[in-house]
Amino acid sequence: MTVILNQSFTGISIGAVLLLIALGLTLTFGQMGVINMAHGEFIMAGAYTTYVLQKSISSAGVSLLVALPVAFLVAGAMGVLLEWLLIRRLYVRPLDTLLVTWGVSLMLQQLARDIFGAPNVQTTAPDLLTGNISLGGGITFANSRLFILGLALLSVLALTVILRFTPLGRRIRAVVQNRDLAEVSGIATGQVDRLTFFIGSGLAGVAGVALTLVGPIGPTMGTNYIVDAFLVVVVGGIGRLKGSVITAFALGVLQSVLEYSTTVSVAKVMVLVAIVAFLQWRPQGLYTLRTRSLA
Amino acid sequence: MSGLSISRRGLLAGISAVGASAALSACGAKTGDSTSTGSGAKADTSGDTVKVGLLNSLSGTMAISEVTVHNALLLAVKEINAAGGVLGKKLKPISQDGASDWPTFAEKAEALITDEKVVATFGCWTSASRKAVKPVFERYKSLLFYPVQYEGLEESPYIFYIGATTNQQIVPALDYLKKQGLTKLYLVGSDYVFPRTANKIIKAYAKANGMEVVGEDYAPLGSTEFGTITNKVKDAGADAVFNTLNGDSNVAFFKEYKSAGLTAKSLPVLSVSIAEEEVKSIGTQYLEDQLTAWNYYETTPGAANTKFVAAYQAAYGKDKPTSDPMEAAYISVYLWKEMVEKAGSFDVAKVKAASDGIELDAPEGKVTVDGATQHVYKTARIGKVGSDGLITEVWNSGKPIKPDPYLKGYSWASGLS
């Protein structure tokens, strides 16, 4: 029982990390069809933001809380810039965005190396987050993981509220479902695109803040996560928030359960095989968006 | 999807293609021309300076460790130049970044030997990188001085192993754990050659010495997800963890370890790749009272060490610690200098012939080169991480241990290589 509970928690916490890094992608890739390979570098930007703030604010706890909105703005601004400079010219050529943004991701990695140096850096977690909640009987929930879980759920909630209940959300959904019709209805699609990109990239920044609690911060940290993030979005069904949430937790739990009974590498392989098999069965992913367009 | 449809399959293929090409571009390795006959390195000794190669990861997951080694090498070169150089020639250090990527190491090693015409190369940390450059040095008959403890079972004629081999680090560490009554071990390591070989040796030792290995796990190099491994360690009923993780993964592992409520008191971790520099970057609060096995600590007493620490801190900053691999790197340049001067020549064959019995009053104590194995006699030291981030010795072997890379002197190790 202890094992099952501890492992479930580990799985859910892996899922929370997956969810955080994939959330921004569900917007930019899922809703806009942009394959942004630089998404991982926005995560990195968020992580380095935390690092910089911790250097200037002495208290680890305060700097972490300040880092969340600041990282959102920093990564979001980078996203808007990328969209405005390059991506808006490529909406009709989705596979080209893959190559362009990959180039951008390499440039951003080098930029991080030039600014912060090549060796990875660390932040100190606030004392509160280094402990755990013990339920007795060897069952422990790490505080840092609980924090990441809370952050992931809050981000999902915020995103849901924005998409469902705000005028901006309605405009985003309209553009996603039928860009031409939205355009002739008087929606400034370019502006909506930029805002969507801002939110999606900003969420990557928030994920970066969370990742500082897990491991080191380095120029290439984003590349470690980018493939996983795309997997979550693709398996979840493109453009479906619900799909991403369920997939992230399912993959996290699957990974941790398999890992417990085998080894890290074997578990990773089995998860990938499971994903491939699943996509054979449901190529459109877990959930699909039904529209009346023929595409 | 606003009038554009991407097939998921095409998309995933696209992403994986980019991933694959990223991997390819990251290691655009020249596969060595296997037909080239070992023409020998043409080291350039004509001018009044000679070039020495420094080959370390200055970027990537291993940079946390290797940058400090690079600094120590530069310090030794600077000191030797200030004292008049080697055979009257000044040394010109040529730094190359191996970027934590093994094929890159091979490429840069070749560039050092063929383009820069260095007289000797110092560096490498992971065994994977050493294994990658080994054929290069052997093909060109050029010398590499390797400064880090490793898994043994190797004797290349063109490598001098200045770090510990297993009977100078891992075996004494196991002896120590056994003496403490910690007989149930859980092995955690990075997934490459050093941890896997080291653990093979540990398992053989355990079998012969009434110890038990209750679990074994490997994480990919650079991995930051240790939740499951920590849970497995917790459930296995171990007395101690033997940690052969390398580089940044240690940060994630110890963070997770502490979060899970495991402490040095309840379940000590003995690490063989964490030295003072790593302690500092992992964070002392995660490591306090945990054990390490090395041959040198910043706190090791002696005049040679006082001088080394002062020189290093004067060059790189008051707050910079020194560590075992740094010390080994530092003395490797001096040992090479002694060999060259004894040989009266930079010629590789002559230097090798002169190596046996070269002695040095090193910061770690007396070291002697064993010409037969091209390893070094070293004193084993077990240490404990203190609250100030420094490591204090809790046990040492009393005298330098003769290197035994193939563990020929241990009956339990027969059939390991």
Side-chain angles (χ1 to χ4, degrees), chain B residues 155-171:
Chain B
E155 278 177 30
S156 167
Y158 294 96
I159 300 179
F160 278 92
Y161 304 81
I162 311 301
T165 179
T166 38
N167 76 311
Q168 300 165 312
Q169 185 198 21
I170 289 177
V171 176

Side-chain angles (χ1 to χ4, degrees), chain A residues 4-280:
Chain A
I4 294 170
L5 274 170
N6 274 336
Q7 272 315 99
S8 308
F9 179 71
T10 302
I12 287 168
S13 68
I14 295 176
V17 172
L18 283 174
L19 182 57
L20 265 179
I21 58 182
L23 212 49
L25 272 184
T26 53
L27 269 189
T28 53
F29 168 58
Q31 314 244 353
M32 299 166 75
V34 173
I35 303 169
N36 178 17
M37 293 299 282
H39 186 80
E41 279 55 52
F42 296 158
I43 295 175
M44 169 192 86
Y48 273 116
T49 304
T50 320
Y51 171 72
V52 169
L53 284 171
Q54 185 158 93
K55 276 205 145 15
S56 49
I57 303 173
S58 55
S59 150
V62 174
S63 71
L64 190 72
L65 290 178
V66 173
L68 287 168
V70 175
F72 184 88
L73 291 174
V74 168
M78 285 167 76
V80 169
L81 198 64
L82 178 70
E83 200 275 344
W84 180 73
L85 277 174
L86 298 166
I87 292 176
R88 68 190 172 123
R89 303 163 213 281
L90 298 167
Y91 279 127
V92 283
R93 297 187 291 167
L95 281 174
D96 292 0
T97 58
L98 185 145
L99 286 173
V100 167
T101 52
W102 185 46
V104 169
S105 106
L106 293 177
M107 283 157 72
L108 288 174
Q109 283 177 31
Q110 195 50 50
L111 187 69
R113 261 184 220 115
D114 292 343
I115 299 174
F116 300 103
N120 297 352
V121 294
Q122 269 78 244
T123 56
T124 327
D127 285 339
L128 181 65
L129 292 184
T130 58
N132 59 48
I133 294 172
S134 177
L135 302 182
I139 300 165
T140 50
F141 295 163
N143 290 352
S144 60
R145 299 286 180 165
L146 288 169
F147 176 81
I148 292 173
L149 184 60
L151 193 62
L153 294 176
L154 262 177
S155 306
V156 171
L157 191 70
L159 196 55
T160 311
V161 168
I162 289 174
L163 287 177
R164 283 241 176 127
F165 304 110
T166 65
L168 170 67
R170 265 198 300 280
R171 283 200 294 273
I172 290 176
R173 281 182 294 147
V175 173
V176 167
Q177 289 181 18
N178 196 324
R179 181 173 294 264
D180 297 338
L181 193 54
E183 184 90 46
V184 295
S185 310
I187 294 175
T189 52
Q191 196 188 21
V192 172
D193 287 340
R194 220 145 301 149
L195 271 167
T196 312
F197 227 86
F198 175 74
I199 298 170
S201 308
L203 285 169
V206 172
V209 178
L211 287 176
T212 59
L213 296 170
V214 178
I217 303 159
T220 54
M221 69 185 285
T223 37
N224 297 342
Y225 294 104
I226 186 81
V227 173
D228 289 345
F230 272 106
L231 283 178
V232 169
V233 177
V234 170
V235 173
I238 297 209
R240 306 298 290 170
L241 198 54
K242 192 165 43 168
S244 290
V245 175
I246 292 171
T247 306
F249 287 121
L251 288 181
V253 172
L254 186 67
Q255 167 79 29
S256 74
V257 167
L258 289 172
E259 209 178 293
Y260 196 85
S261 41
T262 58
T263 67
V264 182
S265 310
V266 172
K268 275 205 160 52
V269 170
M270 284 160 92
V271 168
L272 277 173
V273 169
I275 288 172
V276 169
F278 176 82
L279 287 175
Q280 294 298 324

Side-chain angles (χ1 to χ4, degrees), chain B residues 12-306:
Chain B
L12 276 181
I15 290 177
S16 52
V18 166
S21 55
L24 282 176
S25 70
C27 41
K30 284 194 287 236
T31 40
D33 179 8
S34 54
T35 55
S36 80
T37 49
S39 52
K42 307 253 184 310
D44 183 3
T45 55
S46 55
D48 49 9
T49 58
V50 289
K51 288 178 178 170
V52 290
L54 311 186
L55 182 56
N56 312 99
S57 294
L58 306 179
S59 60
T61 187
M62 288 308 301
I64 178 181
S65 305
E66 292 192 52
V67 165
T68 62
V69 166
H70 185 252
N71 289 346
L73 288 167
L74 282 174
L75 176 68
V77 168
K78 211 170 62 185
E79 285 180 359
I80 288 169
N81 281 343
V86 178
L87 293 184
K89 291 180 194 281
K90 290 273 171 29
L91 307 177
K92 185 177 176 199
I94 307 290
S95 300
Q96 287 280 21
D97 180 9
S100 309
D101 175 65
W102 328 138
T104 302
F105 266 93
E107 220 177 300
K108 303 274 175 158
E110 185 147 26
L112 283 171
I113 299 167
T114 57
D115 302 347
E116 300 288 354
K117 302 189 171 24
V118 295
V119 287
T121 305
F122 302 86
C124 291
W125 180 299
T126 64
S127 290
S129 67
R130 190 191 66 254
K131 297 269 187 208
V133 303
K134 182 169 161 261
V136 177
F137 284 98
E138 288 173 357
R139 191 164 69 239
Y140 290 104
K141 299 191 168 55
S142 181
L143 285 182
L144 168 71
F145 284 74
Y146 177 66
V148 185
Q149 40 70 244
Y150 82 116
E151 71 283 358
L153 310 180
E154 185 177 304
E155 278 177 30
S156 167
Y158 294 96
I159 300 179
F160 278 92
Y161 304 81
I162 311 301
T165 179
T166 38
N167 76 311
Q168 300 165 312
Q169 185 198 21
I170 289 177
V171 176
L174 290 166
D175 289 339
Y176 177 80
L177 290 176
K178 192 178 150 188
K179 265 208 299 275
Q180 303 293 313
L182 305 168
T183 55
K184 287 185 176 165
L185 301 182
Y186 201 106
L187 313 179
V188 177
S190 299
D191 201 353
Y192 76 106
V193 59
F194 165 69
R196 283 191 178 267
T197 312
N199 287 346
K200 221 161 56 185
I201 291 166
I202 292 170
K203 281 185 283 192
Y205 176 99
K207 216 162 121 186
N209 286 278
M211 288 169 98
E212 193 189 343
V213 173
V214 292
E216 184 178 2
D217 259 302
Y218 298 96
L221 198 69
S223 164
T224 54
E225 189 46 70
F226 285 93
T228 305
I229 287 182
T230 308
N231 283 345
K232 279 166 117 173
V233 169
K234 251 171 115 163
D235 300 338
D239 297 331
V241 175
F242 204 104
N243 168 24
T244 44
L245 287 170
N246 236 318
D248 282 329
S249 294
N250 280 304
V251 179
F253 173 68
F254 280 102
K255 277 188 176 173
E256 193 68 52
Y257 203 78
K258 183 168 173 167
S259 297
L262 296 168
T263 61
K265 226 190 188 69
S266 65
L267 190 52
V269 181
L270 191 146
S271 310
V272 289
S273 289
I274 296 183
E276 285 83 342
E277 182 65 35
E278 287 81 15
V279 171
K280 222 181 78 188
S281 49
I282 291 167
T284 312
Q285 76 267 37
Y286 298 106
L287 283 173
E288 207 174 330
D289 290 333
Q290 298 288 20
L291 296 166
T292 59
W294 291 103
N295 309 90
Y296 164 88
Y297 298 109
E298 186 180 327
T299 56
T300 301
N305 190 29
T306 313

